[in-house]
Amino acid sequence: MRTILKIRWLMPVLWLAAAVGLMLTAPNMEELVREKGQIEVPDGYSSSAAAKLLDEMGGDAADGSKTAVLVFHNASGLTDGNMADIKQGLDKLKAEGEAYGITSVTSHYDNKELEKQMVAADGKTVLALIGVDFGGRTPAEARDALYAAAASINVEHYYTGGWIISEDVVQSSQEGLKKTELITVAFILIILFIVFRSVAAPFIPLLAVGFSYLISQSVVAFLVEYAGFPLSTFTQIFMVAVLFGIGTDYCILLISRFKEELAQSGDKTEAILQTYRTAGRTVLFSGLAVLVGFVSIGFSTFVLYRSAVAVAVGVAVMLIALVTLVPFFLSVFGQALFWPSKGSIEHKPSRLWGAVGSFSLKEPVWAMLVIAVLMVPFLAAFRNTASFNSLDEIGDKYDSVKAFNLISESFGPGESLPTTVVVKVDEPLDTQAG
C-alpha cells in the first residue's frame, strides 16, 4: 500500500487510459449480444438435437434467409374494403418486394386451401407468410425494410416471427440496461449522500465502480469475441446490479473506516494504511468469496446462468480498483472528503434491533414461532406457477409481440410459432416402405 501511495498520481492516469483504450478497441457489446447472446438449450436435450438435424438438412439460416408472418387486423372485423387493401398490398409486395429483400409472399389469395389456416374464423385477422433474404443486413435493418415495404397498406399490420422477436428481445434488454444504469446511479447517489452527508465522498464509490464496470465490460467483450465466453441479454444487467451493489458497500466500509482512523491519528497516510490493514482485509476476502461464487456459476450448462460468470471478471477488476484508485482519492482529499459533515458517521446502536436480538437470544423457541406465523401469509399466497413465455419479458409495446398476441387470440399461438418435428432414420423415407 505504501508503494501505491507513492505513485498515487499515476493510478488515475492508468485507469483512465485503460478505460478509454479498451472502450475504443473492444468489440461492440450490443452487437455481440445480438449475435451470440441468444439463450439456447444446451446439448443433450431433444430441442437442441432437432436444431442440429435441421442445420444438417440446410435450414433457412444457412443461406441468410428467414421467414416472417405478416399479420393484418381489425378489432371490429375486417371489411370488404380492408380485404381489398390487403390483397392489393400483398400483390405490391410480390411485384416490388425484391428491393426490400422479400423473396416470397404466401397467402390464401394464391391458394384457397390455405384460407382456414390464414384467415381467422372471427374475421378479425389475416396472415401472410413472407420470405426474407437478409442480404448482409442486420436483423433490425431487415425488419425495418419489411415495414417500409408494407407502409402503403391502409390496414393495421405487424410482422412477427422467431428472428424478429429475438431482435426485439435484444432491443428491450439494451433499453432496460440504460434504465437500470440511470436508476442505479441515482439511488446510490441518494443513499451515499444520506450516509456521508458530504459533497465529495459519494462520488468516490461511483467513480471506482464506474471505472471497474467500463473496463470489465470491455474485457468481457474481448473474451466473448475471441474466447467463446458465455453471453446473454442479461449479462450486462447482472454486472451493473452486482458491481454497483457490492462495490458501493465495500467503498462505504473503507471510507467510513478511513474517517475513523483519520480522527484518531490525524495523518492521512497512516489512516489509509490502517484502513487497509483492517477493513481492507474484510473487503478483500468478501470480494474473493463473491468472485468464487460467480466463477462456479460458469460450470452451469444453461447459458443464461453461465453468462453471469462475467460478474466474476467485474469483481476482479473492482477489487483492483479498491486497492489502487480509492486510496488515491483518500490521500488527495483527506479530511476535505467529508466536508461539510462534522463528527463521526458511525451508526449508533438501534434500540429496535437491539431488543429484537436480545429477545431472539433469550427466547429462541418463541422467536421461531413468531417467524413461522409471519411466513403463513406468504406461503398461502405462493402458487408455484412457472411461465415459459419469453414474450412476457419484453412486454407488448413491441410490434412483434402485438402480432403474436393477435395470432394467439384469433388462431392460437401454434399458428405463429409452430412446433417442428424432425425424424431421422437409416433407411430412405422417400419410398413406399419409408
Side-chain angles (χ1 to χ4, degrees):
M1 182 54 66
R2 289 185 184 274
T3 304
I4 292 173
L5 291 176
K6 288 180 181 178
I7 59 172
R8 60 184 179 275
W9 290 101
L10 182 61
M11 292 302 167
V13 176
L14 292 176
W15 277 94
L16 184 60
V20 173
L22 287 171
M23 289 176 64
L24 291 176
T25 58
N28 185 283
M29 183 62 90
E30 184 175 345
E31 292 301 320
L32 288 176
V33 171
R34 182 174 285 105
E35 295 173 9
K36 303 180 180 182
Q38 302 304 317
I39 298 175
E40 298 177 350
V41 179
D43 293 339
Y45 293 87
S46 59
S47 58
S48 56
K52 289 184 178 179
L53 291 175
L54 287 173
D55 288 338
E56 292 175 6
M57 294 171 60
D60 59 9
D63 57 1
S65 61
K66 297 284 186 180
T67 56
V69 180
L70 177 55
V71 182
F72 299 97
H73 181 74
N74 186 337
S76 302
L78 292 166
T79 63
D80 292 340
N82 292 149
M83 297 299 287
D85 288 338
I86 292 171
K87 185 178 186 307
Q88 183 180 357
L90 293 177
D91 290 340
K92 185 177 180 181
L93 292 182
K94 292 179 185 178
E96 305 174 4
E98 186 176 353
Y100 300 94
I102 295 175
T103 58
S104 63
V105 178
T106 305
S107 70
H108 72 283
Y109 294 109
D110 305 310
N111 188 344
K112 289 296 183 182
E113 294 179 359
L114 297 176
E115 188 166 355
K116 290 185 178 180
Q117 286 74 40
M118 308 192 88
V119 179
D122 60 11
K124 298 179 180 180
T125 307
V126 169
L127 309 180
L129 192 64
I130 309 297
V132 185
D133 183 6
F134 279 19
R137 295 173 299 177
T138 65
E141 292 170 341
R143 177 198 59 198
D144 294 341
L146 289 178
Y147 276 102
S152 62
I153 304 177
N154 296 319
V155 179
E156 181 184 354
H157 59 275
Y158 308 102
Y159 285 97
T160 192
W163 64 275
I164 300 179
I165 292 173
S166 296
E167 176 62 26
D168 287 340
V169 169
V170 173
Q171 183 178 340
S172 173
S173 69
Q174 293 302 311
E175 292 176 356
L177 174 64
K178 294 175 183 177
K179 292 179 181 178
T180 301
E181 291 172 342
L182 291 174
I183 293 172
T184 300
V185 170
F187 271 95
I188 286 178
L189 270 177
I190 293 172
I191 292 171
L192 291 174
F193 277 119
I194 294 174
V195 171
F196 291 114
R197 302 189 297 277
S198 71
V199 175
F203 292 97
I204 293 179
L206 284 182
L207 288 172
V209 180
F211 271 114
S212 302
Y213 172 66
L214 293 175
I215 290 175
S216 59
Q217 180 180 240
S218 299
V219 172
V220 169
F222 277 113
L223 292 173
V224 171
E225 180 71 15
Y226 301 110
F229 209 66
L231 181 69
S232 75
T233 53
F234 296 94
T235 298
Q236 291 169 283
I237 293 179
F238 288 155
M239 294 179 69
V240 169
V242 177
L243 290 185
F244 277 90
I246 65 173
T248 302
D249 187 33
Y250 293 162
C251 284
I252 289 176
L253 178 60
L254 291 172
I255 296 172
S256 301
R257 186 56 183 264
F258 170 70
K259 185 175 183 180
E260 295 174 4
E261 295 296 338
L262 189 61
Q264 293 180 10
S265 66
D267 182 78
K268 291 187 295 185
T269 300
E270 286 302 319
I272 294 172
L273 293 174
Q274 188 60 26
T275 295
Y276 278 87
R277 288 192 194 103
T278 53
R281 290 171 58 86
T282 302
V283 167
L284 175 62
F285 292 131
S286 177
L288 289 176
V290 176
L291 188 149
V292 171
F294 278 97
V295 167
S296 65
I297 292 179
F299 294 101
S300 170
T301 58
F302 189 38
V303 69
L304 174 60
Y305 300 146
R306 288 176 57 220
S307 68
V309 74
V311 176
V313 176
V315 172
V317 174
M318 185 190 65
L319 289 176
I320 298 174
L322 292 177
V323 298
T324 57
L325 192 58
V326 172
F328 162 78
F329 292 111
L330 300 181
S331 177
V332 170
F333 290 98
Q335 186 64 43
L337 191 65
F338 306 100
W339 182 87
S341 175
K342 296 181 181 180
S344 175
I345 59 172
E346 292 178 281
H347 294 289
K348 296 180 180 179
S350 170
R351 293 184 178 180
L352 172 63
W353 294 113
V356 171
S358 299
F359 173 76
S360 300
L361 288 172
K362 294 177 181 178
E363 303 290 344
V365 176
W366 282 104
M368 294 188 69
L369 287 175
V370 170
I371 293 173
V373 171
L374 293 175
M375 289 173 60
V376 170
F378 298 99
L379 292 173
F382 181 63
R383 292 292 179 267
N384 194 29
T385 56
S387 172
F388 299 94
N389 184 4
S390 61
L391 301 187
D392 290 340
E393 298 291 333
I394 62 177
D396 57 2
K397 75 172 185 176
Y398 294 93
D399 289 343
S400 63
V401 180
K402 293 178 182 177
F404 183 90
N405 290 337
L406 290 174
I407 297 173
S408 298
E409 293 170 4
S410 296
F411 296 92
E415 295 296 323
S416 171
L417 297 175
T419 296
T420 301
V421 179
V422 186
V423 179
K424 182 180 181 180
V425 294
D426 295 331
E427 298 298 326
L429 291 173
D430 55 349
T431 64
Q432 183 177 2

